Amino acid sequence: MSNAPAAPVALILLAAGQGTRMKSDLPKVLHRIAGAPLLHHAMLAGAALEPDRTIIVSGHGAAEVEAAAQALDPGAEVVVQADQLGTAHAVDQARAALEGFAGNAIVLYGDTPFIRPETLAAMLAARAENAVVVLGFEAADPGRYGRLVMKGATLERIVEFKEATDKERAITFCNSGVICADSALLLDLISQVSNDNAAGEYYLTDIVALARARALPVTAVRCTEAETMGVNSRAELAAAEAAYQASRRAEAIDDGVTLQAPDTVHFSFDTVIGRDAEIEPNVIFGPGVTVETGARIRAFSHLEGCHVSRGAIVGPYARLRPGAELAEDVRIGNFVEIKNAQIDEGAKVNHLTYIGDASIGAGANIGAGTVTCNYDGVFKHRTEIGAHAFIGSDTMLVAPVKIGEGAMTATGSVITGDVPAGAMAVARARQENKPGFATRFMQHLRDLKQARTRE
Ligand code: UD1
Ligand code: CA
């Protein structure tokens, strides 16, 4: 391995296309796969190269695209291509943003989410011996892709489908669109590109023949067709989601996670699951979930923005919402919703319960049907339950309220004031029995009914 510092990298992501076929008000690159916009997937692949500059060429919905790009990377620069005159014209919009930059430029596409960081690294490595490196793939059905015209290891030119001869159309080695070149050279070659072609567009692909005319070395690096999968329609979005889920499931299984029915488990782009965790069928992971080793997520549970520690058991039919923090060996049972709440070690919330804006101490037991009444219509209030407290079934905890360590609440209580440690709070009407009343009352009702049917 050489110790020479790697040349700086600038990413140029093309994202100006309208995406007409999506039939959407949302810019195409903001449609989501596994909870993250297509644009983020593309940016994250490039981010692994630790780029000095990230430039996004937007057009339709530029303001929304800019907000999304900067939400992921505040340093991302968004330039606007007002008219989409072709891929070379799109890259040309980054010229001002590249002012003063010396290094490699990599052109990526906002609607192509699966390019792997390793593939981009292979392209950068090939740059050592080549002025321009293009990412190609063997297409099962080459369709309308640009064709790569190779001569040995040299890429001579890229011919767009519209311009290709029958012989060229028979080529199955196709252009992914991803290109890597020295930034200054790229901009220089682009200034030579014309729109004198069948589409009347400025083709980025023309820079290959232009580089070869200067006798510069040009080559193509190969990736799988799956990596170059693009999204142009809702059907392709669904297919891309399926492909992403399939790879995440395989990855989880490979990492030592048990998935009983892999096809029914849905991951987010950032889901983290430790080894020996067990995920039962029909579990959905929204964004921001970490599940530690050995935890068990039972069937039909929905988790987002939460953390599940080792040994905890969640579900079946549980809902963990943002800010749910489960410590080790916690039990969350069926039809329980937890939001913005810390549940300490070994605590149990097993049935039909809502816990929101709360902390629950270690070993506490929360009875069936308990509700933290956390919202007064304007403000949210906290409920604090001490360690080893016992909350009787159907307790309403009207927040703000504190239940002391080892305290109890009687079943059916509406708790509006703090309960000291070790105390028992009873907050419900006292029971009164009326002897014989039920028998007399029922007889009265039956007599009434009979009188009415005679009328
Ligand atoms: C392009 C390539 C083709 C390659 C294919 C891979 C060219 C000339 N052709 O064709 O060789 O096989 O991609 O999918 O580059 N865009 C802009 N501004 C523009 C034009 C395009 O931002 O003015 C963006 C689009 O939003 C899209 C991407 O660039 O994300 C590719 O553009 P598109 O028109 O789809 O290119 P293809 O015709 O598919
Ligand atoms: Ca096109």
Side-chain angles (χ1 to χ4, degrees):
M1 289 270 288
S2 120
N3 289 321
V9 169
L11 301 177
I12 304 168
L13 278 109
L14 304 193
Q18 183 167 19
T20 321
R21 286 199 279 144
M22 296 298 287
K23 297 184 183 158
S24 176
D25 292 336
L26 193 67
K28 177 166 75 173
V29 296
L30 299 189
H31 282 268
R32 290 167 184 273
I33 288 179
L38 292 170
L39 181 66
H40 285 191
H41 288 272
M43 287 171 74
L44 287 168
L49 303 173
E50 298 180 2
D52 281 50
R53 298 192 193 186
T54 298
I55 302 156
I56 290 144
V57 181
S58 67
H60 296 272
E64 285 168 87
V65 170
E66 177 161 19
Q70 290 175 351
L72 181 68
D73 175 3
E77 224 176 311
V78 177
V79 299
V80 177
Q81 183 193 26
D83 296 309
Q84 279 83 59
L85 304 182
T87 44
H89 180 257
V91 175
D92 198 46
Q93 307 310 303
R95 191 176 288 273
L98 285 169
E99 188 72 43
F101 174 80
N104 284 310
I106 299 181
V107 180
L108 294 170
Y109 299 80
D111 61 358
T112 307
F114 299 141
I115 304 288
R116 293 180 315 130
E118 294 83 351
T119 299
L120 298 179
M123 291 181 75
L124 280 176
R127 261 278 295 127
E129 315 265 303
N130 295 278
V132 178
V133 179
V134 170
L135 183 63
F137 65 101
E138 239 2 280
D141 170 14
R144 303 185 66 80
Y145 287 118
R147 306 299 205 267
L148 301 186
V149 181
M150 302 297 295
K151 194 168 171 188
T154 298
L155 175 61
E156 290 294 345
R157 59 202 174 85
I158 305 177
V159 54
E160 287 303 296
F161 178 80
K162 284 179 183 164
E163 266 78 36
T165 61
D166 283 348
K167 198 173 157 222
E168 286 164 339
R169 286 182 182 182
I171 296 172
T172 54
F173 192 33
C174 291
N175 177 28
S176 71
V178 180
I179 285 183
C180 174
D182 171 76
S183 170
L185 173 69
L186 177 69
L187 293 173
D188 186 27
L189 291 169
I190 280 174
S191 61
Q192 268 186 278
V193 171
S194 85
N195 65 351
D196 181 16
N197 55 47
E201 284 182 21
Y202 294 90
Y203 289 161
L204 179 61
T205 45
D206 282 355
I207 68 163
V208 171
L210 290 167
R212 290 300 297 142
R214 298 183 193 183
L216 293 169
V218 179
T219 197
V221 160
R222 262 166 218 271
C223 72
T224 63
E225 184 162 13
E227 264 188 86
T228 70
M229 185 177 203
V231 173
N232 297 293
S233 63
R234 304 274 181 172
E236 286 175 2
L237 184 68
E241 178 78 46
Y244 184 85
Q245 293 298 336
S247 82
R248 283 305 304 264
R249 289 165 190 147
E251 210 174 276
I253 289 167
D254 204 44
D255 288 347
V257 176
T258 297
L259 298 183
Q260 289 176 355
D263 288 353
T264 67
V265 175
H266 286 257
F267 292 97
S268 275
F269 65 100
D270 61 352
T271 308
V272 177
I273 302 184
R275 65 189 275 173
D276 287 323
E278 192 178 339
I279 314 297
E280 290 189 359
N282 296 295
V283 170
I284 311 289
F285 294 101
V289 177
T290 53
V291 175
E292 284 185 15
T293 178
R296 183 167 170 210
I297 312 298
R298 305 206 54 200
F300 295 98
S301 293
H302 188 285
L303 293 77
E304 62 184 313
C306 63
H307 176 81
V308 179
S309 299
R310 59 177 68 211
I313 300 177
V314 173
Y317 298 97
R319 180 166 184 213
L320 301 185
R321 290 174 52 206
E325 285 281 332
L326 313 192
E328 291 182 18
D329 302 321
V330 158
R331 297 280 180 278
I332 304 297
N334 46 270
F335 308 109
V336 170
E337 174 180 343
I338 311 274
K339 183 216 73 168
N340 186 31
Q342 164 77 40
I343 318 293
D344 286 346
E345 199 171 329
K348 294 190 176 115
V349 190
N350 268 331
H351 333 267
L352 299 160
T353 288
Y354 172 63
I355 301 293
D357 304 307
S359 59
I360 295 181
N365 191 323
I366 310 299
T370 296
V371 173
T372 53
C373 311
N374 59 328
Y375 186 48
D376 57 18
V378 178
F379 298 105
K380 300 278 174 66
H381 302 281
R382 288 192 65 80
T383 300
E384 290 172 31
I385 297 174
H388 303 287
F390 185 97
I391 305 301
S393 294
D394 197 32
T395 296
M396 299 295 118
L397 297 158
V398 182
V401 70
K402 288 182 188 167
I403 311 297
E405 230 177 273
M408 295 179 84
T409 68
T411 290
S413 288
V414 177
I415 303 293
T416 54
D418 293 353
V419 181
M424 154 77 97
V426 187
R428 63 184 187 212
R430 187 173 287 278
Q431 181 170 330
E432 184 191 347
N433 291 341
K434 301 183 175 179
F437 185 92
T439 314
R440 290 197 302 279
F441 183 61
M442 285 309 287
Q443 193 52 53
H444 167 72
L445 292 178
R446 285 190 199 106
D447 292 348
L448 208 61
K449 189 177 179 187
Q450 212 167 31
R452 280 188 189 166
T453 43
R454 261 192 252 113
E455 272 166 18

